[in-house]
């Protein structure tokens, strides 16, 4: 089992480390530029460079049934799910094969609305909250336990 983290804008890296240490699960932090990580044998860092979707491509190529991916990127989540990986957003909401289609559709609608917005801009997601952080910790722990049991 392995956790892959789309890390450039991930607000829950410390929570990932905490849960990974408790369960003894290796983590790879993937980013476009160097990110400080704890000096620990379970934590690895991969810097992919600044090419468009370079981090996403690296993660998607390594995602599989024994992988848990952490990302807010809906299109990356879709690629990881298709590879058989588990996927959790930083707010704790899991992406599933049943939910990813509607998430992609909402993403497309919001992009269209933002592109056509004149005057009052159409906002993005709500600010990250303590509830999101708590939900993420619980979801990550549950996903690891489930994967250790063989899903």
């Amino acid at each position: 089992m392995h956790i892959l983290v789309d890390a450039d804008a991930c607000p829950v890296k410390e929570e990932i480390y905490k849960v990974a240490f408790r369960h003894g699960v290796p983590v790879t932090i993937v980013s476009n530029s160097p990110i400080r990580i704890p000096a620990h044998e379970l934590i690895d860092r991969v810097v992919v460079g600044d090419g468009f979707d370079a981090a996403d491509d690296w993660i998607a190529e390594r995602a599989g049934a024994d992988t848990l991916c952490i990302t807010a990127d809906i299109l990356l989540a879709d690629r990881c799910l298709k590879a058989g990986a588990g996927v959790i957003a930083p707010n704790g909401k899991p992406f599933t094969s049943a939910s990813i289609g509607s998430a992609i559709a909402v993403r497309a609608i919001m992009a269209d609305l933002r592109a056509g917005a004149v005057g009052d801009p159409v906002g993005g997601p709500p600010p990250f909250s303590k509830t999101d952080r708590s939900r993420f910790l619980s979801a990550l722990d549950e996903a690891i336990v489930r994967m250790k049991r063989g899903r």
Side-chain angles (χ1 to χ4, degrees), residues 107-128:
R107 178 188 178 278
I109 290 168
M110 293 306 292
D112 287 347
L113 288 173
R114 281 190 293 274
V118 178
D120 286 335
V122 177
F128 196 74

Side-chain angles (χ1 to χ4, degrees), residues 5 7 12-22 25-30 34-46:
V5 182
V12 289
K13 289 186 282 293
E14 293 301 322
E15 288 78 3
I16 293 167
Y17 304 147
K18 181 197 294 188
V19 175
F21 294 157
R22 186 169 59 242
V25 177
V27 175
T28 301
I29 299 295
V30 184
I35 291 177
R36 185 177 302 225
I37 62 169
H40 194 281
E41 63 189 14
L42 288 174
I43 310 298
D44 187 27
R45 174 181 59 207
V46 173

